[in-house]
Amino acid sequence: MQLHQASWPEVETYLARSKGIVIPIGSTEQHGPNGLLGTDAICPEVMAKAAGDDAGFLVAPTFNVGVAQHHLGFPGTITLTPATMIAAIQDWLSSLRRHGFERFYFFNGHGGNIATIEAAFAEAYAPWSFEADPAPFACKLRNWWDLEGVDAYQNELFPVGLGSHATPSEVAVTYAAYPDAVKDVAMSPKIAPNGPVRDAADYRARFPDGRIGSDPSLATPALGEKIIAKVKAALIPEVTAFFSETAPAARAAAE
Ligand code: NI
């Protein structure tokens, strides 16, 4: 069930059986010569939709612009600064909490978001910690490639050229989702260089076509379908367990 395709009475009905919501979160940034700018948002979005449709949990609209300042040397990239992103996440949480949501599973597609999402969680919990009251909600962050067995699987599919940015794995997932957007581009060099990530000008100088360590010409829609299926199988039990956790306040009342 997707929030954007639900009516408010349907959300009200959902809240009577579950207080949990999955929030896909990603980025709008260059993904090399054949990767889509939406890659990091599209991946968690299609994976969450597949799992949510199967298991019946609610999936929020995708938080689709993240921290991507280092990609601004390439046309199309849009970034938030960390402070803006932290503030925006607070507003999403406050809005959803007002309706009764208590479990927020942030399903992330962009490594550059991790520190900022964790900082946003600390901001959200801090007022409760200052008051010595248990927070009546909980947040969880999971990167899709960190789900049980997924990283091993993508290394098995791409033993050479997986790399760390514009990977054949993530590009394959977007090609499965949008087969009309598949781009046939020869990679030169075949495997991109590796190196540190700093500011946008430094990034463009180190990684001229945007890739880091990868060969995304290996991506195909069929491989993307396999990765989505692998992720879905690991995502459903983890989300189900998180949504059924007992809230601290309820635990205290029961003791
Ligand atoms: Ni990416």
Side-chain angles (χ1 to χ4, degrees), residues 29 31 39-40 109-110 165-166 170:
E29 64 183 47
H31 268 75
T39 298
D40 287 355
H110 175 46
H165 183 69
E170 60 183 346

Side-chain angles (χ1 to χ4, degrees), residues 32-44:
N34 72 337
L36 314 189
L37 278 137
T39 298
D40 287 355
I42 292 167
C43 289

Side-chain angles (χ1 to χ4, degrees), residues 23 86-101 104 106 123-124 127-128 137 139:
I23 303 174
I86 290 167
I89 290 173
Q90 302 316 305
D91 290 352
W92 281 51
L93 291 173
S94 297
S95 302
L96 292 166
R97 283 191 50 222
R98 186 189 190 285
H99 308 309
F101 288 99
F104 303 97
F106 284 78
E123 282 283 352
W128 302 92
F137 65 95
C139 302

